[in-house]
Amino acid sequence: MSRTAVALKYLSLLLASAVVVVPLVVVLLTSLKTQSEVANDGPLSPPGDWFNFANYATAFEQGAMLRAFGNTALILVVSTAGTVLIGSMTAYAIDRFHFRLKKLVTGLFLLAALVPGVTTQVATFQVIDDLGAFNTRWAPILLYTGTDIVSIYIFLQFIRSIPLALDEAARIDGANSWTIYWKIIFPMLRPAMATVVIVKGIAVYNDFYVPFLYMPDPGLGTISTALFRFKGPFGAHWETISAGAILVIVPTLVVFLALQRFIYSGFAAGSTK
Amino acid sequence: MTAVQKTRTVGHADERRGAPPPEPSAGRPRSRRRRRTAGLTPWLFLAVPLTLLGMFTYLPVADMIGYSFTDWDGVSPTSSSVGVENYTDLVTEPARFEVFLVSGFYLAASFVQIALALYFATVLSSHTRFRNLFKGLLFFPYLINGVAVGFVFLYFFQPDGTLDTLLGMAGVDGEHLWLGDPDLANPSLAGVSMWRFTGLNMVLFLGAIQSIPPHLYEAAELDGANRWQQFRHIIAPSIKPVISLSFVLAVSGSLAVFEIPYIMTGGANGTETFVIQTVKLAFQFDKVGLASASAVLLLVLILLITWVQRRLVPEERVELS
């Protein structure tokens, strides 16, 4: 490669990085400014005091962020655990047994992957409402656990690599199907679980549509809906809104830095299905 | 993975080679695997998953088709059948078609996005300093909460805000209503969507590029192929399935845009998308019948696009070596 080509390559990478970073850095700067600094200085100017965390306190207390983090954590833990159980059970039944209608069952799961959730909400809303789950934390939990086909695929792919000899040996020792699933298959699915937990966890943490539609009660705010509500009362208070946005982004950044490798492979596995 | 592989018996060693078939029941029965033929047991494991699948996927689809032929408002106990009126309403009213034009902006943006992702994936698959840093930087936007992204760019596009300031430095003066002017609003929002998803596409392409056997490049270099020729004749053909999948996701994704325009403009200034319109019809104007018809149309469109893609680009494995 010629020197010009190399220079252009790095230039394009630096430019792309700047496009990613600049909007985020500006919001970080804004979150550290006082109200008058935001009003009088340009958006790219540094804050007068780099350790001015007053906006974060405002966002956290008045924006009900603490409760939102609590709600999100609860929904995330329960739906992720549910997804792991549902996905591994389905994979176990489909991969390890012969039964009538097996083709039909597999086909039903396959077909469901083609139906985007966004299109069916009009009618799903009625189902949730009839169950009495509207405006409760059960609505997102049920929807996140009940409509995750990708996780089932990930488990199905992985369970094939677990030798049948293990099941057979355990059966000879007198184990029944439930014991085999719970004591042998489930623990061996751990690598697949890591993928599912990461992909699912990030999806639940970031979801806005479901909590927005099914939990309008302000007390049931998740981080997405609680942050969305900053729009009203904090209207033009960009320093508070920015602090709220940074509060939401930081946990994602921490998780990303800690689990980078798993995240890349997880999303690659999840989206190419 | 390793633990599993260690416990493998020699007899099964051939099973993990190549891509596993898409569904376990497909194709010829693998003679070495004896699965249990059992009556009730698998159904016990499938009871909960199938119930959830029925309740939250198939029942809503069936209900939605049912509602779409009525004038139900979502609340009252009664509704009357209106035949195909909702559908004729949707396809004959020109105002309802504008949302498709909005999707066009997102579609155009996804094509640019795929091109950019291909370029950066190719660059980062070769020897580059700080490779992981660049990869992480470009991918990270995809992981950020959508509402936070919406707010970050609301501030970015403020009149006299970050973008105007940067343009001012470059010598382009003046305030622009990036989100207020109907001519600028959709390109701005489509730009945000590019900012979010380019990194994901790039990571998918990178994964595919890295599975290309390295001796192919070596052979190409010996033959004097430059980087562009290598891309054209080795990289592009090898990752064709992933590229075509990205195009399908781009088309169906651009029809189903909701989050960013809803958060940033609420669908104002000509930025209303198909899904925003449907949500408003159902939950603001209580026209569940009409909203259902419009959702059924969207679903049929998306299924059609997926089907066409599967017919056009069969999942062929490109043999290179």
Side-chain angles (χ1 to χ4, degrees):
Chain A
M1 262 165 109
S2 67
R3 292 183 63 152
T4 332
V6 173
L8 280 175
K9 178 173 96 169
Y10 284 104
L11 195 69
S12 68
L13 283 168
L14 284 172
L15 191 69
S17 308
V19 169
V20 167
V21 169
V22 168
L24 296 170
V25 167
V26 167
V27 166
L28 177 66
L29 294 180
T30 309
S31 73
L32 299 169
K33 289 177 183 175
T34 62
Q35 210 177 318
S36 67
E37 281 175 326
V38 172
N40 301 321
D41 305 349
L44 296 169
S45 64
D49 172 12
W50 284 91
F51 296 98
N52 168 28
F53 293 122
N55 300 318
Y56 287 87
T58 313
F60 213 80
E61 284 159 24
Q62 293 182 25
M65 286 312 261
L66 186 62
R67 184 187 288 163
F69 274 106
N71 283 335
T72 300
L74 181 84
I75 291 167
L76 196 149
V77 169
V78 178
S79 8
T80 313
T83 304
V84 165
L85 276 173
I86 300 267
S88 56
M89 277 186 178
T90 311
Y92 178 66
I94 289 178
D95 188 64
R96 294 311 216 228
F97 293 93
H98 274 308
F99 52 93
R100 287 177 55 195
L101 304 179
K102 178 163 150 171
K103 268 212 159 87
L104 176 74
V105 169
T106 319
L108 282 176
F109 281 110
L110 261 173
L111 190 64
L114 299 180
V115 179
V118 123
T119 57
T120 52
Q121 293 309 325
V122 178
T124 308
F125 189 86
Q126 304 303 331
V127 177
I128 290 284
D129 205 29
D130 291 344
L131 289 172
F134 176 68
N135 238 341
T136 70
R137 294 183 191 88
W138 284 108
I141 289 173
L142 281 169
L143 289 172
Y144 295 146
T145 3
T147 56
D148 192 351
I149 312 296
V150 170
S151 302
I152 293 177
Y153 276 122
I154 294 174
F155 282 121
L156 259 179
Q157 294 283 355
F158 194 85
I159 202 169
R160 289 196 199 117
S161 65
I162 301 175
L164 263 175
L166 288 178
D167 304 43
E168 284 156 6
R171 228 171 260 284
I172 289 164
D173 290 342
N176 64 20
S177 297
W178 174 256
T179 313
I180 291 172
Y181 162 74
W182 190 241
K183 288 265 156 68
I184 295 169
I185 302 288
F186 195 76
M188 292 204 83
L189 283 171
R190 235 171 284 153
M193 270 177 220
T195 305
V196 167
V197 166
I198 289 169
V199 173
K200 189 74 189 171
I202 289 173
V204 169
Y205 183 82
N206 287 339
D207 190 42
F208 165 71
Y209 196 50
V210 167
F212 169 75
L213 220 53
Y214 294 92
M215 298 196 302
D217 186 331
L220 294 174
T222 63
I223 55 146
S224 293
T225 46
L227 186 61
F228 186 64
R229 291 194 185 102
F230 274 45
K231 252 188 132 164
F234 300 118
H237 287 287
W238 279 106
E239 67 286 354
T240 315
I241 294 180
S242 302
I246 297 290
L247 274 177
V248 166
I249 295 173
V250 164
T252 311
L253 183 61
V254 171
V255 168
F256 177 54
L257 293 176
L259 303 170
Q260 253 190 59
R261 216 162 40 86
F262 295 104
I263 286 178
Y264 291 133
S265 54
F267 276 97
S271 16
T272 46
K273 228 14 269 169
Chain B
M1 203 53 142
T2 46
V4 173
Q5 250 139 18
K6 272 182 204 146
T7 50
R8 300 198 66 83
T9 50
V10 182
H12 297 297
D14 58 341
E15 275 171 24
R16 281 199 54 75
R17 224 172 268 160
E23 42 174 311
S25 58
R28 54 198 164 63
R30 281 169 289 176
S31 54
R32 284 214 200 83
R33 308 206 63 179
R34 283 181 300 114
R35 288 200 196 72
R36 294 183 62 77
T37 307
L40 203 57
T41 319
W43 296 105
L44 292 176
F45 284 96
L46 286 169
V48 176
L50 279 176
T51 308
L52 289 171
L53 181 74
M55 262 169 69
F56 298 117
T57 300
Y58 289 104
L59 183 64
V61 172
D63 279 352
M64 199 166 75
I65 296 170
Y67 298 150
S68 72
F69 296 107
T70 69
D71 63 357
W72 193 40
D73 61 3
V75 222
S76 66
T78 56
S79 65
S80 48
S81 170
V82 294
V84 290
E85 203 178 290
N86 287 329
Y87 290 98
T88 49
D89 207 30
L90 283 172
V91 290
T92 51
E93 191 143 341
R96 303 239 183 273
F97 261 91
E98 280 169 21
V99 291
F100 283 113
L101 299 177
V102 173
S103 290
F105 286 97
Y106 292 93
L107 190 61
S110 351
F111 291 161
V112 179
Q113 177 185 306
I114 289 173
L116 281 174
L118 264 177
Y119 167 76
F120 285 116
T122 310
V123 164
L124 292 180
S125 65
S126 64
H127 180 75
T128 304
R129 271 170 215 226
F130 307 115
R131 206 156 77 171
N132 284 336
L133 175 72
F134 285 126
K135 183 178 165 187
L137 273 174
L138 293 182
F139 181 68
F140 185 62
Y142 174 70
L143 300 177
I144 301 176
N145 182 291
V147 183
V149 172
F151 285 176
V152 164
F153 280 95
L154 269 176
Y155 192 63
F156 183 80
F157 286 127
Q158 285 272 302
D160 244 349
T162 315
L163 186 56
D164 282 344
T165 310
L166 287 170
L167 286 174
M169 288 177 185
V172 185
D173 275 325
E175 274 191 22
H176 303 81
L177 292 170
W178 295 107
L179 299 170
D181 180 346
D183 293 336
L184 292 176
N186 280 318
S188 304
L189 293 175
V192 176
S193 140
M194 261 170 63
W195 183 88
R196 271 186 99 182
F197 296 115
T198 301
L200 174 71
N201 268 331
M202 183 194 73
V203 166
L204 294 183
F205 295 155
L206 252 177
I209 290 173
Q210 277 160 349
S211 61
I212 300 172
H215 68 253
L216 288 174
Y217 297 122
E218 288 153 25
E221 299 229 335
L222 283 178
D223 292 341
N226 63 25
R227 201 77 187 118
W228 163 248
Q229 286 165 327
Q230 285 180 26
F231 172 81
R232 170 108 186 52
H233 298 288
I234 299 174
I235 294 178
S238 326
I239 66 169
K240 214 161 98 188
V242 188
I243 298 177
S244 83
L245 179 85
S246 299
F247 274 106
V248 176
L249 291 177
V251 177
S252 51
S254 60
L255 286 170
V257 175
F258 168 78
E259 222 177 35
I260 288 293
Y262 190 85
I263 290 161
M264 289 176 68
T265 61
N269 313 330
T271 58
E272 190 162 283
T273 64
F274 198 92
V275 179
I276 294 180
Q277 178 181 278
T278 307
V279 168
K280 282 189 173 172
L281 280 177
F283 302 109
Q284 263 178 36
F285 306 121
D286 294 335
K287 292 187 174 172
V288 171
L290 192 59
S292 298
S294 113
V296 169
L297 275 184
L298 178 62
L299 181 60
V300 169
L301 268 177
I302 289 178
L303 289 178
L304 202 67
I305 292 161
T306 315
W307 180 78
V308 166
Q309 183 258 346
R310 302 226 159 159
R311 294 304 300 266
L312 285 180
V313 194
E315 300 246 329
E316 49 179 328
R317 294 235 151 255
V318 183
E319 286 302 332
L320 280 164
S321 29

